[in-house]
Amino acid sequence: TKVVVDTKGMRANEALRIVADLRSKGKTVADLEWTRLTKWRAPIAQVFDNPTRENAYSRFRNIDITFGGQELGAAALYAAAWFSAPYRAKVNFTIQNQFEPGLRCISLRANNEEIVFERAGNDSMNLRSTNGRERSYTYQDPSDQSLMTEELAILGPDPAFEIAFARAQEILHEQK
């Protein structure tokens, strides 16, 4: 009942077209490139899970996405979409073509704070805020099997992906 695609390495517009075509045929679609973003989404989401946090997520109105490769890929677009969807934050993309394709850095900016989550090496990332907090994360790129397991554990459509996909289409249209 679910079609799982992997748009890794595809240009963003091609990836979204494939997913949209399958969805137009009534299919529930998942994209492993979205699933790979968990290592980016989860640590930033945890920052805002703290109920005593001074700056609410709604105050972060600018999102900067830096990615490697030659062209905007699905991962960078999905990340921008997920982070900008709730409050329609402004999104800026920066390409660093000297790096392999993929996400390099996500920056969230409010008037009085910036949160930066960036790749520090092949297996580590740093999360820092202008309020003085900093954390390092190590990770391993998940295997295709673990990505499929994570994706198939979600019965039916993934609400977070549905929201991100709709916003990704808007952002891609705005980029033209």
Side-chain angles (χ1 to χ4, degrees):
T1 61
K2 184 182 247 186
V3 176
V4 180
V5 299
D6 189 356
T7 62
K8 182 177 182 176
M10 290 184 185
R11 291 190 331 236
N13 61 341
E14 290 177 32
L16 265 58
R17 184 187 47 76
I18 289 169
V19 174
D21 285 351
L22 289 166
R23 289 170 56 135
S24 72
K25 296 174 183 170
K27 306 287 184 188
T28 298
V29 183
D31 187 345
L32 294 183
E33 194 66 342
W34 164 257
T35 312
R36 286 183 186 94
L37 289 177
T38 301
K39 69 182 174 228
W40 290 89
R41 293 183 296 125
I44 295 175
Q46 288 173 357
V47 168
F48 295 100
D49 285 344
N50 181 351
T52 62
R53 184 170 214 305
E54 287 183 32
N55 280 328
Y57 189 71
S58 61
R59 293 187 179 161
F60 289 82
R61 307 301 286 169
N62 291 289
I63 315 259
D64 296 323
I65 304 289
T66 304
F67 61 95
Q70 301 297 316
E71 300 179 85
L72 179 64
L77 184 59
Y78 286 153
W82 190 72
F83 286 109
S84 71
Y87 301 103
R88 295 297 191 254
K90 182 178 181 217
V91 176
N92 299 301
F93 292 102
T94 302
I95 188 168
Q96 291 182 336
N97 57 14
Q98 73 271 26
F99 290 107
E100 295 286 321
L103 281 175
R104 303 295 306 164
C105 182
I106 298 171
S107 298
L108 309 174
R109 286 184 284 120
N111 287 340
N112 59 348
E113 184 180 9
E114 181 177 20
I115 296 172
V116 178
F117 193 36
E118 66 185 327
R119 195 173 279 228
N122 290 335
D123 62 353
S124 63
M125 294 190 272
N126 293 325
L127 177 66
R128 67 182 183 283
S129 170
T130 54
N131 71 8
R133 296 187 180 193
E134 190 167 331
R135 256 187 218 145
S136 293
Y137 295 85
T138 58
Y139 68 92
Q140 291 182 341
D141 284 326
S143 67
D144 288 346
Q145 181 179 349
S146 66
L147 291 169
M148 285 294 287
T149 300
E150 182 178 340
E151 208 40 72
L152 293 175
I154 301 168
L155 300 178
D158 175 352
F161 177 67
E162 296 297 312
I163 291 167
F165 183 78
R167 180 68 178 132
Q169 289 178 308
E170 292 172 3
I171 292 169
L172 198 58
H173 182 73
E174 292 167 4
Q175 296 291 309
K176 292 181 179 183

